[in-house]
PDB file of all heavy atoms in Angstrom:
ATOM      1  N   THR A  21     106.282  95.383  88.214  1.00  0.00           N
ATOM      2  CA  THR A  21     105.956  96.698  88.502  1.00  0.00           C
ATOM      3  C   THR A  21     104.555  96.790  89.233  1.00  0.00           C
ATOM      4  O   THR A  21     103.810  95.858  89.118  1.00  0.00           O
ATOM      5  CB  THR A  21     105.839  97.598  87.307  1.00  0.00           C
ATOM      6  OG1 THR A  21     104.715  97.217  86.523  1.00  0.00           O
ATOM      7  CG2 THR A  21     107.108  97.433  86.395  1.00  0.00           C
ATOM      8  N   GLY A  22     104.370  97.773  90.109  1.00  0.00           N
ATOM      9  CA  GLY A  22     103.138  97.781  90.948  1.00  0.00           C
ATOM     10  C   GLY A  22     103.205  96.620  91.927  1.00  0.00           C
ATOM     11  O   GLY A  22     102.180  96.122  92.363  1.00  0.00           O
ATOM     12  N   ALA A  23     104.409  96.310  92.497  1.00  0.00           N
ATOM     13  CA  ALA A  23     104.649  95.219  93.303  1.00  0.00           C
ATOM     14  C   ALA A  23     104.029  95.390  94.720  1.00  0.00           C
ATOM     15  O   ALA A  23     103.865  94.381  95.478  1.00  0.00           O
ATOM     16  CB  ALA A  23     106.092  94.902  93.564  1.00  0.00           C
ATOM     17  N   ALA A  24     103.636  96.610  95.119  1.00  0.00           N
ATOM     18  CA  ALA A  24     102.862  96.887  96.360  1.00  0.00           C
ATOM     19  C   ALA A  24     101.351  96.831  96.159  1.00  0.00           C
ATOM     20  O   ALA A  24     100.659  96.989  97.144  1.00  0.00           O
ATOM     21  CB  ALA A  24     103.310  98.186  97.006  1.00  0.00           C
ATOM     22  N   GLY A  25     100.894  96.693  94.866  1.00  0.00           N
ATOM     23  CA  GLY A  25      99.558  96.674  94.631  1.00  0.00           C
ATOM     24  C   GLY A  25      98.871  95.337  94.905  1.00  0.00           C
ATOM     25  O   GLY A  25      99.532  94.320  95.188  1.00  0.00           O
ATOM     26  N   PHE A  26      97.596  95.322  94.756  1.00  0.00           N
ATOM     27  CA  PHE A  26      96.813  94.084  95.037  1.00  0.00           C
ATOM     28  C   PHE A  26      97.314  92.885  94.247  1.00  0.00           C
ATOM     29  O   PHE A  26      97.656  91.854  94.759  1.00  0.00           O
ATOM     30  CB  PHE A  26      95.348  94.462  94.699  1.00  0.00           C
ATOM     31  CG  PHE A  26      94.344  93.296  94.911  1.00  0.00           C
ATOM     32  CD1 PHE A  26      94.652  92.169  95.834  1.00  0.00           C
ATOM     33  CD2 PHE A  26      93.179  93.279  94.229  1.00  0.00           C
ATOM     34  CE1 PHE A  26      93.724  91.239  95.959  1.00  0.00           C
ATOM     35  CE2 PHE A  26      92.201  92.321  94.408  1.00  0.00           C
ATOM     36  CZ  PHE A  26      92.541  91.263  95.224  1.00  0.00           C
ATOM     37  N   ILE A  27      97.258  93.055  92.941  1.00  0.00           N
ATOM     38  CA  ILE A  27      97.693  91.977  91.980  1.00  0.00           C
ATOM     39  C   ILE A  27      99.223  91.756  92.095  1.00  0.00           C
ATOM     40  O   ILE A  27      99.711  90.675  92.054  1.00  0.00           O
ATOM     41  CB  ILE A  27      97.125  92.146  90.622  1.00  0.00           C
ATOM     42  CG1 ILE A  27      95.606  92.279  90.606  1.00  0.00           C
ATOM     43  CG2 ILE A  27      97.580  91.002  89.686  1.00  0.00           C
ATOM     44  CD1 ILE A  27      95.073  92.640  89.247  1.00  0.00           C
ATOM     45  N   GLY A  28      99.868  92.876  92.013  1.00  0.00           N
ATOM     46  CA  GLY A  28     101.413  92.802  91.982  1.00  0.00           C
ATOM     47  C   GLY A  28     102.029  92.068  93.092  1.00  0.00           C
ATOM     48  O   GLY A  28     102.904  91.185  92.882  1.00  0.00           O
ATOM     49  N   ALA A  29     101.580  92.367  94.332  1.00  0.00           N
ATOM     50  CA  ALA A  29     102.123  91.667  95.486  1.00  0.00           C
ATOM     51  C   ALA A  29     101.727  90.128  95.451  1.00  0.00           C
ATOM     52  O   ALA A  29     102.595  89.319  95.852  1.00  0.00           O
ATOM     53  CB  ALA A  29     101.559  92.321  96.817  1.00  0.00           C
ATOM     54  N   ALA A  30     100.508  89.834  95.003  1.00  0.00           N
ATOM     55  CA  ALA A  30     100.206  88.441  94.936  1.00  0.00           C
ATOM     56  C   ALA A  30     101.004  87.676  93.895  1.00  0.00           C
ATOM     57  O   ALA A  30     101.386  86.505  94.091  1.00  0.00           O
ATOM     58  CB  ALA A  30      98.713  88.312  94.681  1.00  0.00           C
ATOM     59  N   VAL A  31     101.253  88.357  92.740  1.00  0.00           N
ATOM     60  CA  VAL A  31     102.094  87.729  91.697  1.00  0.00           C
ATOM     61  C   VAL A  31     103.478  87.560  92.224  1.00  0.00           C
ATOM     62  O   VAL A  31     104.128  86.444  91.985  1.00  0.00           O
ATOM     63  CB  VAL A  31     101.981  88.575  90.439  1.00  0.00           C
ATOM     64  CG1 VAL A  31     103.056  88.154  89.424  1.00  0.00           C
ATOM     65  CG2 VAL A  31     100.586  88.424  89.743  1.00  0.00           C
ATOM     66  N   ALA A  32     104.040  88.534  92.763  1.00  0.00           N
ATOM     67  CA  ALA A  32     105.385  88.457  93.305  1.00  0.00           C
ATOM     68  C   ALA A  32     105.550  87.294  94.308  1.00  0.00           C
ATOM     69  O   ALA A  32     106.496  86.603  94.285  1.00  0.00           O
ATOM     70  CB  ALA A  32     105.794  89.798  93.925  1.00  0.00           C
ATOM     71  N   GLU A  33     104.584  87.221  95.164  1.00  0.00           N
ATOM     72  CA  GLU A  33     104.602  86.118  96.162  1.00  0.00           C
ATOM     73  C   GLU A  33     104.612  84.686  95.557  1.00  0.00           C
ATOM     74  O   GLU A  33     105.438  83.857  95.910  1.00  0.00           O
ATOM     75  CB  GLU A  33     103.480  86.231  97.153  1.00  0.00           C
ATOM     76  CG  GLU A  33     103.499  85.180  98.292  1.00  0.00           C
ATOM     77  CD  GLU A  33     102.430  85.331  99.327  1.00  0.00           C
ATOM     78  OE1 GLU A  33     101.376  85.968  98.999  1.00  0.00           O
ATOM     79  OE2 GLU A  33     102.574  84.857 100.421  1.00  0.00           O
ATOM     80  N   ARG A  34     103.762  84.523  94.559  1.00  0.00           N
ATOM     81  CA  ARG A  34     103.657  83.190  93.872  1.00  0.00           C
ATOM     82  C   ARG A  34     104.979  82.896  93.183  1.00  0.00           C
ATOM     83  O   ARG A  34     105.535  81.744  93.215  1.00  0.00           O
ATOM     84  CB  ARG A  34     102.557  83.174  92.876  1.00  0.00           C
ATOM     85  CG  ARG A  34     101.209  82.926  93.574  1.00  0.00           C
ATOM     86  CD  ARG A  34     101.069  81.457  93.943  1.00  0.00           C
ATOM     87  NE  ARG A  34     101.100  80.591  92.771  1.00  0.00           N
ATOM     88  CZ  ARG A  34     100.120  80.478  91.912  1.00  0.00           C
ATOM     89  NH1 ARG A  34      98.910  80.906  92.130  1.00  0.00           N
ATOM     90  NH2 ARG A  34     100.301  79.614  90.860  1.00  0.00           N
ATOM     91  N   LEU A  35     105.575  83.922  92.521  1.00  0.00           N
ATOM     92  CA  LEU A  35     106.871  83.690  91.799  1.00  0.00           C
ATOM     93  C   LEU A  35     108.025  83.425  92.806  1.00  0.00           C
ATOM     94  O   LEU A  35     108.860  82.528  92.528  1.00  0.00           O
ATOM     95  CB  LEU A  35     107.192  84.945  90.951  1.00  0.00           C
ATOM     96  CG  LEU A  35     106.251  85.155  89.753  1.00  0.00           C
ATOM     97  CD1 LEU A  35     106.569  86.422  89.059  1.00  0.00           C
ATOM     98  CD2 LEU A  35     106.471  83.972  88.716  1.00  0.00           C
ATOM     99  N   LEU A  36     108.004  84.127  93.947  1.00  0.00           N
ATOM    100  CA  LEU A  36     108.961  83.826  94.972  1.00  0.00           C
ATOM    101  C   LEU A  36     108.872  82.371  95.436  1.00  0.00           C
ATOM    102  O   LEU A  36     109.933  81.656  95.741  1.00  0.00           O
ATOM    103  CB  LEU A  36     108.941  84.757  96.111  1.00  0.00           C
ATOM    104  CG  LEU A  36     109.349  86.192  95.872  1.00  0.00           C
ATOM    105  CD1 LEU A  36     108.978  87.134  96.980  1.00  0.00           C
ATOM    106  CD2 LEU A  36     110.916  86.305  95.688  1.00  0.00           C
ATOM    107  N   GLN A  37     107.661  81.868  95.649  1.00  0.00           N
ATOM    108  CA  GLN A  37     107.431  80.597  96.127  1.00  0.00           C
ATOM    109  C   GLN A  37     108.015  79.503  95.274  1.00  0.00           C
ATOM    110  O   GLN A  37     108.416  78.450  95.664  1.00  0.00           O
ATOM    111  CB  GLN A  37     105.942  80.333  96.201  1.00  0.00           C
ATOM    112  CG  GLN A  37     105.296  80.947  97.467  1.00  0.00           C
ATOM    113  CD  GLN A  37     103.711  80.853  97.434  1.00  0.00           C
ATOM    114  OE1 GLN A  37     103.157  80.301  96.503  1.00  0.00           O
ATOM    115  NE2 GLN A  37     103.096  81.400  98.438  1.00  0.00           N
ATOM    116  N   ARG A  38     108.099  79.803  93.931  1.00  0.00           N
ATOM    117  CA  ARG A  38     108.724  78.769  93.035  1.00  0.00           C
ATOM    118  C   ARG A  38     110.215  79.090  92.772  1.00  0.00           C
ATOM    119  O   ARG A  38     110.838  78.419  91.933  1.00  0.00           O
ATOM    120  CB  ARG A  38     107.917  78.656  91.719  1.00  0.00           C
ATOM    121  CG  ARG A  38     108.159  79.842  90.811  1.00  0.00           C
ATOM    122  CD  ARG A  38     107.354  79.535  89.466  1.00  0.00           C
ATOM    123  NE  ARG A  38     107.754  80.410  88.446  1.00  0.00           N
ATOM    124  CZ  ARG A  38     107.239  80.356  87.184  1.00  0.00           C
ATOM    125  NH1 ARG A  38     106.201  79.541  86.949  1.00  0.00           N
ATOM    126  NH2 ARG A  38     107.641  81.140  86.236  1.00  0.00           N
ATOM    127  N   GLY A  39     110.780  79.953  93.590  1.00  0.00           N
ATOM    128  CA  GLY A  39     112.216  80.140  93.547  1.00  0.00           C
ATOM    129  C   GLY A  39     112.748  81.249  92.584  1.00  0.00           C
ATOM    130  O   GLY A  39     114.017  81.172  92.300  1.00  0.00           O
ATOM    131  N   GLU A  40     111.917  82.077  92.118  1.00  0.00           N
ATOM    132  CA  GLU A  40     112.359  83.084  91.191  1.00  0.00           C
ATOM    133  C   GLU A  40     113.058  84.229  91.919  1.00  0.00           C
ATOM    134  O   GLU A  40     112.768  84.564  93.108  1.00  0.00           O
ATOM    135  CB  GLU A  40     111.164  83.699  90.394  1.00  0.00           C
ATOM    136  CG  GLU A  40     110.397  82.626  89.603  1.00  0.00           C
ATOM    137  CD  GLU A  40     111.100  82.242  88.315  1.00  0.00           C
ATOM    138  OE1 GLU A  40     112.232  82.733  88.053  1.00  0.00           O
ATOM    139  OE2 GLU A  40     110.486  81.463  87.574  1.00  0.00           O
ATOM    140  N   ARG A  41     113.961  84.942  91.258  1.00  0.00           N
ATOM    141  CA  ARG A  41     114.381  86.237  91.724  1.00  0.00           C
ATOM    142  C   ARG A  41     113.471  87.333  91.265  1.00  0.00           C
ATOM    143  O   ARG A  41     113.137  87.342  90.071  1.00  0.00           O
ATOM    144  CB  ARG A  41     115.803  86.507  91.196  1.00  0.00           C
ATOM    145  CG  ARG A  41     116.922  85.747  91.783  1.00  0.00           C
ATOM    146  CD  ARG A  41     118.289  86.095  91.200  1.00  0.00           C
ATOM    147  NE  ARG A  41     118.540  87.552  91.353  1.00  0.00           N
ATOM    148  CZ  ARG A  41     119.163  88.303  90.537  1.00  0.00           C
ATOM    149  NH1 ARG A  41     119.607  87.865  89.369  1.00  0.00           N
ATOM    150  NH2 ARG A  41     119.382  89.598  90.825  1.00  0.00           N
ATOM    151  N   ILE A  42     112.948  88.099  92.135  1.00  0.00           N
ATOM    152  CA  ILE A  42     111.983  89.103  91.841  1.00  0.00           C
ATOM    153  C   ILE A  42     112.510  90.559  92.171  1.00  0.00           C
ATOM    154  O   ILE A  42     112.994  90.739  93.309  1.00  0.00           O
ATOM    155  CB  ILE A  42     110.629  88.888  92.573  1.00  0.00           C
ATOM    156  CG1 ILE A  42     110.098  87.477  92.260  1.00  0.00           C
ATOM    157  CG2 ILE A  42     109.624  89.943  92.149  1.00  0.00           C
ATOM    158  CD1 ILE A  42     109.888  87.231  90.783  1.00  0.00           C
ATOM    159  N   LEU A  43     112.458  91.464  91.238  1.00  0.00           N
ATOM    160  CA  LEU A  43     112.781  92.886  91.531  1.00  0.00           C
ATOM    161  C   LEU A  43     111.373  93.598  91.465  1.00  0.00           C
ATOM    162  O   LEU A  43     110.683  93.666  90.466  1.00  0.00           O
ATOM    163  CB  LEU A  43     113.595  93.435  90.448  1.00  0.00           C
ATOM    164  CG  LEU A  43     113.843  94.918  90.484  1.00  0.00           C
ATOM    165  CD1 LEU A  43     114.488  95.414  91.729  1.00  0.00           C
ATOM    166  CD2 LEU A  43     114.603  95.416  89.245  1.00  0.00           C
ATOM    167  N   GLY A  44     110.917  94.001  92.644  1.00  0.00           N
ATOM    168  CA  GLY A  44     109.624  94.701  92.713  1.00  0.00           C
ATOM    169  C   GLY A  44     109.820  96.216  92.719  1.00  0.00           C
ATOM    170  O   GLY A  44     110.743  96.760  93.302  1.00  0.00           O
ATOM    171  N   VAL A  45     109.008  96.911  91.921  1.00  0.00           N
ATOM    172  CA  VAL A  45     109.032  98.323  91.811  1.00  0.00           C
ATOM    173  C   VAL A  45     107.646  98.907  92.099  1.00  0.00           C
ATOM    174  O   VAL A  45     106.682  98.331  91.610  1.00  0.00           O
ATOM    175  CB  VAL A  45     109.472  98.795  90.345  1.00  0.00           C
ATOM    176  CG1 VAL A  45     109.384 100.277  90.220  1.00  0.00           C
ATOM    177  CG2 VAL A  45     110.961  98.365  90.110  1.00  0.00           C
ATOM    178  N   ASP A  46     107.561  99.971  92.912  1.00  0.00           N
ATOM    179  CA  ASP A  46     106.345 100.665  93.123  1.00  0.00           C
ATOM    180  C   ASP A  46     106.611 101.995  93.606  1.00  0.00           C
ATOM    181  O   ASP A  46     107.687 102.231  94.315  1.00  0.00           O
ATOM    182  CB  ASP A  46     105.487  99.859  94.201  1.00  0.00           C
ATOM    183  CG  ASP A  46     104.016 100.201  94.195  1.00  0.00           C
ATOM    184  OD1 ASP A  46     103.698 101.360  94.462  1.00  0.00           O
ATOM    185  OD2 ASP A  46     103.224  99.312  93.755  1.00  0.00           O
ATOM    186  N   ASN A  47     105.687 102.979  93.343  1.00  0.00           N
ATOM    187  CA  ASN A  47     106.009 104.348  93.922  1.00  0.00           C
ATOM    188  C   ASN A  47     105.227 104.646  95.148  1.00  0.00           C
ATOM    189  O   ASN A  47     105.452 105.708  95.735  1.00  0.00           O
ATOM    190  CB  ASN A  47     105.697 105.385  92.798  1.00  0.00           C
ATOM    191  CG  ASN A  47     104.240 105.475  92.475  1.00  0.00           C
ATOM    192  OD1 ASN A  47     103.407 104.679  92.944  1.00  0.00           O
ATOM    193  ND2 ASN A  47     103.814 106.403  91.592  1.00  0.00           N
ATOM    194  N   LEU A  48     104.418 103.720  95.591  1.00  0.00           N
ATOM    195  CA  LEU A  48     103.659 103.849  96.860  1.00  0.00           C
ATOM    196  C   LEU A  48     102.870 105.179  96.900  1.00  0.00           C
ATOM    197  O   LEU A  48     102.914 105.860  97.960  1.00  0.00           O
ATOM    198  CB  LEU A  48     104.617 103.779  98.121  1.00  0.00           C
ATOM    199  CG  LEU A  48     105.432 102.404  98.176  1.00  0.00           C
ATOM    200  CD1 LEU A  48     106.365 102.535  99.427  1.00  0.00           C
ATOM    201  CD2 LEU A  48     104.519 101.322  98.352  1.00  0.00           C
ATOM    202  N   ASN A  49     102.229 105.483  95.835  1.00  0.00           N
ATOM    203  CA  ASN A  49     101.497 106.761  95.763  1.00  0.00           C
ATOM    204  C   ASN A  49     100.263 106.700  96.750  1.00  0.00           C
ATOM    205  O   ASN A  49      99.857 105.701  97.207  1.00  0.00           O
ATOM    206  CB  ASN A  49     101.082 107.180  94.342  1.00  0.00           C
ATOM    207  CG  ASN A  49     100.059 106.285  93.759  1.00  0.00           C
ATOM    208  OD1 ASN A  49      99.177 105.686  94.443  1.00  0.00           O
ATOM    209  ND2 ASN A  49     100.054 106.104  92.496  1.00  0.00           N
ATOM    210  N   ARG A  50      99.665 107.843  96.848  1.00  0.00           N
ATOM    211  CA  ARG A  50      98.568 108.057  97.879  1.00  0.00           C
ATOM    212  C   ARG A  50      97.219 107.954  97.233  1.00  0.00           C
ATOM    213  O   ARG A  50      96.278 108.470  97.771  1.00  0.00           O
ATOM    214  CB  ARG A  50      98.734 109.356  98.624  1.00  0.00           C
ATOM    215  CG  ARG A  50     100.127 109.459  99.399  1.00  0.00           C
ATOM    216  CD  ARG A  50     100.127 110.547 100.307  1.00  0.00           C
ATOM    217  NE  ARG A  50      99.108 110.385 101.353  1.00  0.00           N
ATOM    218  CZ  ARG A  50      99.312 109.643 102.469  1.00  0.00           C
ATOM    219  NH1 ARG A  50     100.406 109.043 102.743  1.00  0.00           N
ATOM    220  NH2 ARG A  50      98.296 109.549 103.369  1.00  0.00           N
ATOM    221  N   TYR A  51      97.029 107.332  96.068  1.00  0.00           N
ATOM    222  CA  TYR A  51      95.759 107.085  95.481  1.00  0.00           C
ATOM    223  C   TYR A  51      94.829 106.447  96.532  1.00  0.00           C
ATOM    224  O   TYR A  51      93.627 106.702  96.628  1.00  0.00           O
ATOM    225  CB  TYR A  51      95.810 106.275  94.221  1.00  0.00           C
ATOM    226  CG  TYR A  51      94.434 105.881  93.633  1.00  0.00           C
ATOM    227  CD1 TYR A  51      93.530 106.844  93.227  1.00  0.00           C
ATOM    228  CD2 TYR A  51      94.131 104.586  93.599  1.00  0.00           C
ATOM    229  CE1 TYR A  51      92.340 106.448  92.779  1.00  0.00           C
ATOM    230  CE2 TYR A  51      92.798 104.110  93.142  1.00  0.00           C
ATOM    231  CZ  TYR A  51      91.983 105.161  92.657  1.00  0.00           C
ATOM    232  OH  TYR A  51      90.796 104.778  92.244  1.00  0.00           O
ATOM    233  N   TYR A  52      95.360 105.448  97.203  1.00  0.00           N
ATOM    234  CA  TYR A  52      94.764 104.919  98.409  1.00  0.00           C
ATOM    235  C   TYR A  52      95.800 104.723  99.506  1.00  0.00           C
ATOM    236  O   TYR A  52      97.036 104.806  99.192  1.00  0.00           O
ATOM    237  CB  TYR A  52      93.909 103.690  98.182  1.00  0.00           C
ATOM    238  CG  TYR A  52      94.646 102.466  97.688  1.00  0.00           C
ATOM    239  CD1 TYR A  52      95.349 101.650  98.549  1.00  0.00           C
ATOM    240  CD2 TYR A  52      94.637 102.121  96.357  1.00  0.00           C
ATOM    241  CE1 TYR A  52      96.029 100.460  98.142  1.00  0.00           C
ATOM    242  CE2 TYR A  52      95.252 100.953  95.891  1.00  0.00           C
ATOM    243  CZ  TYR A  52      95.992 100.184  96.834  1.00  0.00           C
ATOM    244  OH  TYR A  52      96.639  98.982  96.377  1.00  0.00           O
ATOM    245  N   ASP A  53      95.383 104.428 100.764  1.00  0.00           N
ATOM    246  CA  ASP A  53      96.257 104.465 101.880  1.00  0.00           C
ATOM    247  C   ASP A  53      97.548 103.627 101.642  1.00  0.00           C
ATOM    248  O   ASP A  53      97.507 102.444 101.456  1.00  0.00           O
ATOM    249  CB  ASP A  53      95.517 103.856 103.051  1.00  0.00           C
ATOM    250  CG  ASP A  53      96.321 104.006 104.387  1.00  0.00           C
ATOM    251  OD1 ASP A  53      97.465 104.398 104.351  1.00  0.00           O
ATOM    252  OD2 ASP A  53      95.675 103.543 105.405  1.00  0.00           O
ATOM    253  N   PRO A  54      98.723 104.345 101.685  1.00  0.00           N
ATOM    254  CA  PRO A  54     100.049 103.529 101.481  1.00  0.00           C
ATOM    255  C   PRO A  54     100.225 102.490 102.542  1.00  0.00           C
ATOM    256  O   PRO A  54     101.029 101.620 102.330  1.00  0.00           O
ATOM    257  CB  PRO A  54     101.056 104.613 101.452  1.00  0.00           C
ATOM    258  CG  PRO A  54     100.326 105.894 101.089  1.00  0.00           C
ATOM    259  CD  PRO A  54      98.967 105.735 101.715  1.00  0.00           C
ATOM    260  N   ALA A  55      99.592 102.591 103.689  1.00  0.00           N
ATOM    261  CA  ALA A  55      99.766 101.615 104.748  1.00  0.00           C
ATOM    262  C   ALA A  55      99.413 100.256 104.308  1.00  0.00           C
ATOM    263  O   ALA A  55     100.024  99.180 104.669  1.00  0.00           O
ATOM    264  CB  ALA A  55      98.918 102.014 105.975  1.00  0.00           C
ATOM    265  N   LEU A  56      98.370 100.072 103.449  1.00  0.00           N
ATOM    266  CA  LEU A  56      97.998  98.800 102.946  1.00  0.00           C
ATOM    267  C   LEU A  56      99.017  98.328 102.029  1.00  0.00           C
ATOM    268  O   LEU A  56      99.393  97.135 101.979  1.00  0.00           O
ATOM    269  CB  LEU A  56      96.554  98.944 102.257  1.00  0.00           C
ATOM    270  CG  LEU A  56      96.037  97.617 101.573  1.00  0.00           C
ATOM    271  CD1 LEU A  56      95.945  96.468 102.637  1.00  0.00           C
ATOM    272  CD2 LEU A  56      94.703  97.928 100.950  1.00  0.00           C
ATOM    273  N   LYS A  57      99.599  99.208 101.185  1.00  0.00           N
ATOM    274  CA  LYS A  57     100.649  98.780 100.245  1.00  0.00           C
ATOM    275  C   LYS A  57     101.872  98.314 101.070  1.00  0.00           C
ATOM    276  O   LYS A  57     102.493  97.345 100.715  1.00  0.00           O
ATOM    277  CB  LYS A  57     101.016  99.943  99.311  1.00  0.00           C
ATOM    278  CG  LYS A  57      99.827 100.450  98.570  1.00  0.00           C
ATOM    279  CD  LYS A  57     100.196 101.623  97.722  1.00  0.00           C
ATOM    280  CE  LYS A  57      98.980 102.228  96.984  1.00  0.00           C
ATOM    281  NZ  LYS A  57      99.293 103.375  96.081  1.00  0.00           N
ATOM    282  N   ARG A  58     102.205  99.045 102.077  1.00  0.00           N
ATOM    283  CA  ARG A  58     103.411  98.648 102.885  1.00  0.00           C
ATOM    284  C   ARG A  58     103.168  97.292 103.654  1.00  0.00           C
ATOM    285  O   ARG A  58     104.025  96.523 103.765  1.00  0.00           O
ATOM    286  CB  ARG A  58     103.742  99.760 103.888  1.00  0.00           C
ATOM    287  CG  ARG A  58     104.242 100.953 103.235  1.00  0.00           C
ATOM    288  CD  ARG A  58     104.794 102.028 104.282  1.00  0.00           C
ATOM    289  NE  ARG A  58     105.192 103.160 103.665  1.00  0.00           N
ATOM    290  CZ  ARG A  58     104.517 104.352 103.572  1.00  0.00           C
ATOM    291  NH1 ARG A  58     103.268 104.298 104.189  1.00  0.00           N
ATOM    292  NH2 ARG A  58     104.955 105.380 103.053  1.00  0.00           N
ATOM    293  N   ALA A  59     101.880  97.097 104.012  1.00  0.00           N
ATOM    294  CA  ALA A  59     101.568  95.803 104.701  1.00  0.00           C
ATOM    295  C   ALA A  59     101.712  94.637 103.697  1.00  0.00           C
ATOM    296  O   ALA A  59     102.168  93.561 104.135  1.00  0.00           O
ATOM    297  CB  ALA A  59     100.115  95.888 105.279  1.00  0.00           C
ATOM    298  N   ARG A  60     101.363  94.839 102.425  1.00  0.00           N
ATOM    299  CA  ARG A  60     101.555  93.798 101.504  1.00  0.00           C
ATOM    300  C   ARG A  60     103.034  93.528 101.244  1.00  0.00           C
ATOM    301  O   ARG A  60     103.492  92.386 101.201  1.00  0.00           O
ATOM    302  CB  ARG A  60     100.945  94.222 100.080  1.00  0.00           C
ATOM    303  CG  ARG A  60      99.413  94.326 100.160  1.00  0.00           C
ATOM    304  CD  ARG A  60      98.890  94.660  98.662  1.00  0.00           C
ATOM    305  NE  ARG A  60      97.526  94.963  98.615  1.00  0.00           N
ATOM    306  CZ  ARG A  60      97.052  96.198  98.140  1.00  0.00           C
ATOM    307  NH1 ARG A  60      97.932  97.125  97.723  1.00  0.00           N
ATOM    308  NH2 ARG A  60      95.720  96.393  98.042  1.00  0.00           N
ATOM    309  N   LEU A  61     103.866  94.651 101.159  1.00  0.00           N
ATOM    310  CA  LEU A  61     105.275  94.450 101.017  1.00  0.00           C
ATOM    311  C   LEU A  61     105.898  93.675 102.161  1.00  0.00           C
ATOM    312  O   LEU A  61     106.848  92.966 102.000  1.00  0.00           O
ATOM    313  CB  LEU A  61     105.957  95.753 100.830  1.00  0.00           C
ATOM    314  CG  LEU A  61     105.689  96.510  99.489  1.00  0.00           C
ATOM    315  CD1 LEU A  61     106.281  97.878  99.440  1.00  0.00           C
ATOM    316  CD2 LEU A  61     106.157  95.718  98.306  1.00  0.00           C
ATOM    317  N   ALA A  62     105.345  93.954 103.363  1.00  0.00           N
ATOM    318  CA  ALA A  62     105.905  93.335 104.600  1.00  0.00           C
ATOM    319  C   ALA A  62     105.868  91.810 104.536  1.00  0.00           C
ATOM    320  O   ALA A  62     106.731  91.138 105.087  1.00  0.00           O
ATOM    321  CB  ALA A  62     105.183  93.874 105.836  1.00  0.00           C
ATOM    322  N   LEU A  63     104.825  91.365 103.803  1.00  0.00           N
ATOM    323  CA  LEU A  63     104.752  89.839 103.535  1.00  0.00           C
ATOM    324  C   LEU A  63     105.885  89.266 102.705  1.00  0.00           C
ATOM    325  O   LEU A  63     106.135  88.112 102.745  1.00  0.00           O
ATOM    326  CB  LEU A  63     103.392  89.575 103.001  1.00  0.00           C
ATOM    327  CG  LEU A  63     102.143  89.917 103.775  1.00  0.00           C
ATOM    328  CD1 LEU A  63     100.889  89.594 102.952  1.00  0.00           C
ATOM    329  CD2 LEU A  63     102.184  89.276 105.145  1.00  0.00           C
TER     330      LEU A  63
END
């Protein structure tokens, strides 16, 4: 959860690198610019 967030995206990436299946969930709220969240997801 929080997969588009700072820590969430980084954790998801590391888990994918070791071959895990990852289900990411995030609401992309506007507490700060969603463009940064989408840029993390794009990776």
Side-chain angles (χ1 to χ4, degrees):
T21 72
F26 177 28
I27 301 173
V31 167
E33 182 175 23
R34 281 283 301 279
L35 289 171
L36 287 169
Q37 286 174 356
R38 75 177 197 182
E40 303 283 1
R41 287 181 58 214
I42 303 299
L43 172 63
V45 173
D46 201 293
N47 67 356
L48 301 177
N49 70 28
R50 300 193 63 83
Y51 171 65
Y52 61 81
D53 187 356
L56 178 58
K57 302 176 184 182
R58 293 191 183 97
R60 296 186 188 118
L61 289 176
L63 299 176

